[in-house]
Amino acid sequence: MRDESLPIDRGVTSLDSLIASLHAPFGFLGTVAHLRELVGARRGRRTSRQLAKALDLLEESRVTHLAYRLAFAERPSVEKAEGRRRPTAGDMAALERAEWLKQVEEARTRVPGRRGRASG
């Protein structure tokens, strides 16, 4: 995709393949549309520079998602020592929430479920 000597269609196909198989936080079509918007690409009119930028943005998003999941996975041993062994409903919702960039620090803290929230 970063090789500008290759046909643009090949780069588009490669990017679509990455989205379909590795990282589509908004689903395939939603992620493609979001990337088009971020790089300023119009439907059917893309440049190799836009494809490279889209790849950079996709990689950045994927890195934050992987780091979020890793931080979330590290919590059980800490919480077990504190007497809290299960993630809350809020934790699970935050883990599965559709976001472009995940906030890794959020994964390190408990997100209260409905019952754990103060009413008011």
Side-chain angles (χ1 to χ4, degrees):
M1 284 184 43
R2 297 187 202 280
D3 185 350
E4 293 184 18
S5 68
L6 295 173
I8 195 80
D9 291 344
R10 187 168 172 190
V12 170
T13 301
S14 296
L15 181 62
D16 287 351
S17 178
L18 286 173
I19 293 168
S21 61
L22 292 178
H23 186 63
F26 304 135
F28 179 79
L29 294 176
T31 300
V32 169
H34 187 68
L35 283 169
R36 278 193 191 128
E37 183 178 321
L38 290 174
V39 301
R42 295 191 176 185
R43 191 165 184 87
R45 305 181 92 201
R46 298 176 197 112
T47 66
S48 52
R49 182 171 289 154
Q50 288 171 328
L51 282 177
K53 179 67 175 170
L55 178 60
D56 291 342
L57 293 168
L58 187 66
E59 287 174 340
E60 178 186 15
S61 176
R62 185 168 189 263
V63 164
T64 67
H65 280 252
L66 293 174
Y68 188 97
R69 289 189 174 277
L70 179 62
F72 188 83
E74 291 171 348
R75 281 183 34 204
S77 60
V78 172
E79 290 183 352
K80 185 174 180 181
E82 295 172 353
R84 296 181 288 177
R85 297 179 184 215
R86 292 188 180 171
T88 66
D91 288 332
M92 298 312 294
L95 183 64
E96 298 304 322
R97 188 173 52 229
E99 296 176 295
W100 186 246
L101 299 173
K102 288 282 193 185
Q103 299 299 318
V104 178
E105 284 305 312
E106 179 189 55
R108 293 187 175 107
T109 59
R110 277 177 90 77
V111 177
R114 282 188 203 188
R115 291 182 186 171
R117 292 190 179 130
S119 59

